[in-house]
Amino acid sequence: SQQGEEDPQALSIQEGENATMNCSYKTSINNLQWYRQNSGRGLVHLILIRSNEREKHSGRLRVTLDTSKKSSSLLITASRAADTASYFCATVFSGGYNKLIFGAGTRLAVHP
Amino acid sequence: GAVVSQHPSWVICKSGTSVKIECRSLDFQATTMFWYRQFPKQSLMLMATSNEGSKATYEQGVEKDKFLINHASLTLSTLTVTSAHPEDSSFYICSAREGREGPNNEQFFGPGTRLTVL
């Protein structure tokens, strides 16, 4: 399966703490994207990192990409209760219609 | 900008009936649209890719006669679940991509449709 893996599957932290989620994938990619999904809702695009980039920031989000290890991490700093959601990485593989393949996701719970 | 809508947001139907779900790009032209399904507490699984004016490309294991996809215009794609059964109950999400088919072109996701088959 092309689908990547994410760990941890679930993460529970207190407000103010940092949350780190990891994503691994199996084949060469064009880019990797992180999405957020609140329970029963659609997806919100958080950040895209290209294969030739190593780190990217957006507000409290920091994404790293290590293509040699085929892995990425998403760091949310100073977490808030409103950050409670599921987070998915998705990769775009070369060829075809440049479709997104999603990882298994990490369910993050931030407690006040 | 870049808003994608889905209709209906939820639907309950009897086993054996067919259900149509619409996906619309509201403020851009979507050359390509994608359909995903998501079971509770699981990830999104790509079902098919549809390009405007051509037949959809289905992922392995997805029955094309069961899940009919039509992408008749640059702003509308429909997914019809034919002869629905309880195991088809799921959250169906579409996404749309505008412009050229470059790998860095963002996909914009609809809010999803929850299908419950009794």
Side-chain angles (χ1 to χ4, degrees):
Chain A
S1 166
Q2 291 179 332
Q3 191 174 38
E5 298 180 356
E6 289 182 61
D7 75 272
Q9 289 186 339
L11 181 60
S12 182
I13 59 174
Q14 297 295 126
E15 263 192 329
E17 295 180 340
N18 295 341
T20 300
M21 290 158 267
N22 302 297
C23 166
S24 62
Y25 55 91
K26 297 181 180 179
T27 65
S28 296
I29 61 172
N30 286 310
N31 65 63
L32 185 144
Q33 302 175 35
W34 284 90
Y35 288 84
R36 167 198 168 118
Q37 182 182 37
N38 286 71
S39 180
R41 300 287 190 88
L43 272 74
V44 175
H45 182 263
L46 296 177
I47 200 163
L48 179 154
I49 186 166
R50 294 180 171 78
S51 60
N52 62 352
E53 297 176 312
R54 291 297 166 256
E55 188 170 312
K56 210 161 182 180
H57 297 255
S58 177
R60 292 184 295 113
L61 306 180
R62 173 178 167 252
V63 168
T64 62
L65 178 64
D66 187 334
T67 53
S68 66
K69 294 181 179 178
K70 293 185 169 58
S71 67
S72 173
S73 68
L74 169 67
L75 168 68
I76 303 175
T77 59
S79 64
R80 305 166 182 166
D83 294 329
T84 295
S86 290
Y87 293 83
F88 296 93
C89 70
T91 48
V92 176
F93 296 94
S94 303
Y97 295 103
N98 295 311
K99 54 192 179 184
L100 280 173
I101 303 297
F102 282 83
T106 294
R107 292 191 304 280
L108 173 67
V110 182
H111 301 284
Chain B
V3 177
V4 176
S5 70
Q6 279 184 243
H7 178 79
S9 56
W10 60 269
V11 57
I12 301 172
C13 70
K14 293 182 179 180
S15 186
T17 60
S18 294
V19 175
K20 180 184 285 188
I21 302 170
E22 293 184 349
C23 176
R24 294 182 184 272
S25 57
L26 298 185
D27 49 5
F28 67 97
Q29 292 187 327
T31 308
T32 305
M33 288 184 169
F34 303 85
W35 286 96
Y36 300 82
R37 68 186 297 181
Q38 184 181 31
F39 292 109
K41 296 186 178 180
Q42 294 189 23
S43 186
L44 281 74
M45 296 298 295
L46 180 65
M47 298 174 67
T49 302
S50 77
N51 287 294
E52 185 265 339
S54 62
K55 290 183 179 179
T57 301
Y58 290 81
E59 294 299 303
Q60 192 173 10
V62 177
E63 300 175 59
K64 57 184 66 177
D65 294 331
K66 173 77 171 175
F67 300 99
L68 301 179
I69 292 173
N70 184 281
H71 192 165
S73 78
L74 285 171
T75 59
L76 173 65
S77 177
T78 60
L79 167 68
T80 301
V81 182
T82 62
S83 187
H85 290 283
E87 57 266 31
D88 298 324
S89 298
S90 187
F91 194 52
Y92 291 88
I93 304 175
C94 74
S95 69
R97 185 175 64 205
E98 66 175 327
R100 296 177 293 109
E101 292 181 10
N104 295 316
N105 281 354
E106 185 178 340
Q107 288 184 29
F108 300 98
F109 284 81
T113 297
R114 184 160 305 283
L115 170 63
T116 302
V117 184
L118 302 177

